[in-house]
Amino acid sequence: MASFGAVNYKFFLCLLLWLWNFLPLSQGNQHWHENRYPFIRNASSFSSPSISTTTSNNAYDYIIVGGGTAGCPLAATLSQNFSVLVLERGGVPFTNPNVSFLENFHITLADISPTSASQYFISTDGVYNSRARVLGGGSSINAGFYTRANPRFIKKVGWDAKLVNESYPWVEKQIVHRPKFSPYQRAFRDSLLDSGVSPFNGFTYDHLYGTKVGGTIFDRFGRRHTAAELLASGNHDKLTVLVCATVQKIVFDRKGKRPKAVGVIFQDEHGKQHEAILSNDKHSEVIMSSGAIGTPQLLMLSGIGPKAELQKLSIPVVLDNHFVGKGMVDNPMNTMFVPSNRPVNQSLIETVGITKMGVYIEASSGFSQSNDSIHCHHGIMSAEIGQLSTIPPKERSPEAVQEFIKNKKDIPVELFKGGFILSKVANPWSVGELRLNNTNVNDNPVVTFNYFSHPYDLHRCVKGIRLAIKVVQSKHFTNYTLCDKKTTEELLNLTVKANVNFIPKHPNDTASIAQFCKDTVITIWHYHGGCHVGKVVSPDYKVLGVDRLRVVDGSTFDESPGTNPQATVMMMGRYMGLKILRHRLGKLAGI
């Protein structure tokens, strides 16, 4: 009886944990997030005032365009003292299981429907990518890895190190966890050390040369905690978050010497337009936090950008600034397939090798454990939109994409039993740009990253792939996977054939590592730039040449901080919120 009672107790405890973990995310428990976030509403609930009838009751001290990785912590912080309106074009992450569970990570990226949390775009390079369309931004669709920036980055951008070190923990205490550390990641860690990526720095958020285990925004149950949860720490009485609110443009008062932002026009989920107005105070601001794609795009749609480009689309020019959209950079990534003769559990990024040669080495595993998983549409991770970089632009036809689909269906399940080693080039020197495609904010702009256009990036990619090969050939991996040690050409050939980003085979892609880099380049979603400091914004991120308009997001970066940027982008939201409050209120800010 005692044994039976113990079993029942364990079963009951597991059931409670399951209910706690899963039920809040079900559609049937909608009130869960409504009770915790009563300030989140659909955009159609907004009552638009006219400028002539604006009062202190229907105007806002701050309007934040984009409830993403930076926008959420920024809003939570500013709302401590001032009225804040957040306008997010996507929905909430809380009731979307594809967003909220680690096991569905690839399904989120696979969803390319108009209402998906992940909006795919293809750069002119032929590489498919993703931008977030959901409250929480990139933290709602990424691989979850959390690691701080290199102190050199903090010094380079001119941030107050003391305030930075107060802002990171504010994020970490609320949504960051220690990973479970899977057997695959353990084999990867030991292989990195065996390959000379040392010392082992253990579990740490800090950016240190060698091998380390970082944080994750997935808890021990595999549930994602996004930047949207940081909103809970805001002042509920002063914070309004509208979802499905797509900002069309920023509204300016142009009667004075300099254009002045006075509000924004946005569209709700039913297509109705609304106008949100700033309070009549010189400190009130519209703050752009729409990311490296959305922010420069919306600035140009609002009339701030290269005059000639704006005039081609009949956009009234508010400010001629040819730097808007320039300096776009994406960190190129290449993968190395690791076959396995044993079942591999799913893991996202937990361990990273930080090298002094300018590449970061990471690992993931277990995304194809069923026939359905392998042969379904995987969005940017699938053959359907294979990178096409070896096909001339004019030949990238729907027929070519359909050929990829056909090829993928013929790939045997066994080829996908294993994982991947990822090699990312840090701080690439290859630079591109962003231009408007049309005047529809819902459509992606035209983006070019010019991967490997600078020879130094290709040189480092070759070094990274050689290191990845060394890691895969390590005894720690062969002992774990129960596979024989494979030659370099065999590994490259396996990767070309079995990589989920299925790409046409180039005659030299297994003979030349440089050609392999070019043929198998993909993204790791760390694109940045378009609104650089000194060119589009000032050191305190105010848009140059206009008043009451600021940018707080990764579009201001000229490099991606740390190995993975989300920690620093969230910290930036908190940091800039504190800076703005302290500048405006001094000691009265109270924080």
Side-chain angles (χ1 to χ4, degrees):
M1 291 295 293
S3 175
F4 180 75
V7 170
N8 273 346
Y9 173 76
K10 288 181 180 179
F11 173 78
F12 180 68
L13 180 61
C14 289
L15 180 62
L16 283 178
L17 289 173
W18 184 89
L19 289 170
W20 176 83
N21 190 45
F22 284 86
L23 286 186
L25 298 166
S26 67
Q27 295 290 350
N29 201 18
Q30 186 77 13
H31 293 298
W32 174 78
H33 82 264
E34 290 176 352
N35 291 335
R36 191 178 182 197
Y37 307 95
F39 45 80
I40 299 178
R41 311 196 306 263
N42 282 336
S44 57
S45 68
F46 186 78
S47 179
S48 300
S50 65
I51 294 178
S52 60
T53 61
T54 299
T55 68
S56 59
N57 292 326
N58 54 26
Y60 297 90
D61 295 304
Y62 296 97
I63 298 174
I64 298 175
V65 181
T69 318
C72 288
L74 176 64
T77 303
L78 291 176
S79 71
Q80 299 300 323
N81 300 86
F82 295 100
S83 62
V84 178
L85 173 66
V86 178
L87 299 171
E88 167 53 47
R89 68 188 183 126
V92 295
F94 313 116
T95 56
N96 186 339
N98 285 348
V99 167
S100 296
F101 296 120
L102 184 150
E103 64 186 15
N104 292 340
F105 165 70
H106 60 305
I107 303 299
T108 306
L109 298 176
D111 183 2
I112 59 173
S113 67
T115 58
S116 171
S118 173
Q119 181 182 3
Y120 82 93
F121 69 94
I122 177 173
S123 70
T124 62
D125 316 277
V127 174
Y128 279 76
N129 214 313
S130 251
R131 50 189 295 216
R133 184 167 47 195
V134 61
L135 192 66
S139 69
S140 294
I141 65 170
N142 65 17
F145 194 59
Y146 182 97
T147 178
R148 296 181 179 186
N150 188 329
R152 176 192 57 78
F153 177 88
I154 304 301
K155 184 176 181 180
K156 176 183 174 183
V157 298
W159 289 342
D160 178 341
K162 182 176 182 296
L163 190 57
V164 165
N165 289 328
E166 293 173 9
S167 300
Y168 273 124
W170 181 85
V171 174
E172 290 153 8
K173 289 175 183 177
Q174 297 183 73
I175 65 169
V176 186
H177 304 265
R178 187 166 182 158
K180 292 173 67 174
F181 206 52
S182 70
Y184 187 88
Q185 295 288 329
R186 187 173 293 109
F188 173 59
R189 175 201 64 190
D190 294 342
S191 297
L192 279 172
L193 294 171
D194 194 43
S195 302
V197 187
S198 58
F200 179 56
N201 294 304
F203 170 75
T204 178
Y205 296 142
D206 293 335
H207 186 94
L208 303 169
Y209 286 117
T211 295
K212 64 169 250 185
V213 177
T216 177
I217 57 174
F218 289 100
D219 63 23
R220 63 195 180 98
F221 299 104
R223 176 176 163 185
R224 182 192 295 271
H225 296 267
T226 77
E229 294 184 28
L230 300 175
L231 291 167
S233 62
N235 182 340
H236 295 194
D237 295 328
K238 292 183 177 293
L239 181 59
T240 301
V241 178
L242 298 183
V243 294
C244 304
T246 304
V247 174
Q248 310 289 301
K249 68 176 182 177
I250 305 160
V251 180
F252 293 96
D253 178 355
R254 301 177 62 185
K255 294 191 291 288
K257 291 182 179 180
R258 287 160 56 100
K260 177 177 68 174
V262 295
V264 301
I265 293 173
F266 68 93
Q267 194 174 72
D268 66 24
E269 68 272 24
H270 302 307
K272 182 181 177 181
Q273 284 199 340
H274 303 266
E275 189 169 26
I277 306 299
L278 282 176
S279 63
N280 190 22
D281 187 297
K282 67 178 182 179
H283 295 293
S284 297
E285 293 179 325
V286 172
I287 303 178
M288 297 299 306
S289 293
S290 299
I293 305 298
T295 290
Q297 178 189 24
L298 195 52
L299 286 180
M300 287 191 276
L301 289 174
S302 303
I304 299 177
K307 182 177 180 180
E309 290 185 37
L310 301 183
Q311 289 178 333
K312 284 180 183 177
L313 295 172
S314 300
I315 299 173
V317 179
V318 174
L319 181 73
D320 179 14
N321 185 334
H322 68 277
F323 291 114
V324 178
K326 302 300 188 292
M328 294 294 297
V329 174
D330 189 22
N331 294 78
M333 182 176 77
N334 298 81
T335 64
M336 179 68 57
F337 177 64
V338 184
S340 176
N341 285 327
R342 72 164 78 202
V344 177
N345 291 327
Q346 187 179 40
S347 72
L348 289 173
I349 313 302
E350 297 176 2
T351 308
V352 61
I354 301 175
T355 75
K356 293 185 178 180
M357 61 186 178
V359 293
Y360 304 136
I361 309 295
E362 300 172 340
S364 65
S365 64
F367 289 97
S368 302
Q369 299 186 39
S370 73
N371 189 68
D372 290 340
S373 176
I374 291 174
H375 294 150
C376 78
H377 189 292
H378 279 149
I380 67 169
M381 300 175 69
S382 74
E384 289 88 316
I385 53 172
Q387 306 309 314
L388 305 179
S389 56
T390 56
I391 296 180
K394 292 182 179 179
E395 297 178 25
R396 293 173 192 160
S397 63
E399 291 75 22
V401 174
Q402 290 304 312
E403 183 62 24
F404 282 129
I405 297 174
K406 178 180 179 297
N407 289 342
K408 188 179 182 185
K409 287 179 179 176
D410 295 334
I411 297 175
V413 173
E414 290 74 23
L415 281 178
F416 285 84
K417 187 193 291 184
F420 293 92
I421 305 300
L422 320 175
S423 176
K424 165 189 167 180
V425 174
N427 310 329
W429 289 17
S430 303
V431 178
E433 65 175 354
L434 177 151
R435 294 180 290 106
L436 291 180
N437 185 33
N438 53 39
T439 58
N440 186 349
V441 71
N442 294 304
D443 291 344
N444 291 308
V446 178
V447 186
T448 303
F449 292 118
N450 290 323
Y451 298 102
F452 300 128
S453 59
H454 197 289
Y456 183 51
D457 295 340
L458 188 58
H459 172 73
R460 287 183 291 164
C461 178
V462 170
K463 284 189 171 183
I465 294 300
R466 285 176 177 157
L467 176 57
I469 292 168
K470 195 174 180 181
V471 169
V472 176
Q473 291 176 334
S474 164
K475 63 181 180 182
H476 300 286
F477 251 129
T478 55
N479 288 344
Y480 172 72
T481 62
L482 304 178
C483 287
D484 294 333
K485 182 176 178 180
K486 297 188 180 299
T487 67
T488 295
E489 187 161 350
E490 285 175 329
L491 285 170
L492 295 179
N493 203 36
L494 273 173
T495 302
V496 171
K497 288 184 176 180
N499 195 318
V500 285
N501 290 294
F502 193 75
I503 299 170
K505 183 176 171 63
H506 189 281
N508 296 321
D509 59 10
T510 56
S512 164
I513 294 180
Q515 190 63 54
F516 175 86
C517 285
K518 292 178 181 179
D519 286 1
T520 63
V521 62
I522 57 176
T523 183
I524 195 169
W525 311 288
H526 295 169
Y527 48 84
H528 50 280
C531 295
H532 284 152
V533 174
K535 295 179 178 178
V536 178
V537 298
S538 65
D540 56 358
Y541 304 107
K542 293 182 178 180
V543 176
L544 299 170
V546 300
D547 292 329
R548 304 209 306 177
L549 181 61
R550 198 187 298 251
V551 174
V552 178
D553 61 28
S555 68
T556 63
F557 296 163
D558 61 8
E559 68 175 86
S560 182
T563 60
N564 302 67
Q566 78 161 338
T568 302
V569 176
M570 286 191 283
M571 182 280 294
M572 181 191 193
R574 172 65 174 177
Y575 175 92
M576 285 306 302
L578 293 174
K579 290 281 284 188
I580 291 169
L581 290 181
R582 291 177 182 182
H583 180 263
R584 186 167 178 176
L585 297 174
K587 293 182 179 179
L588 294 177
I591 50 179

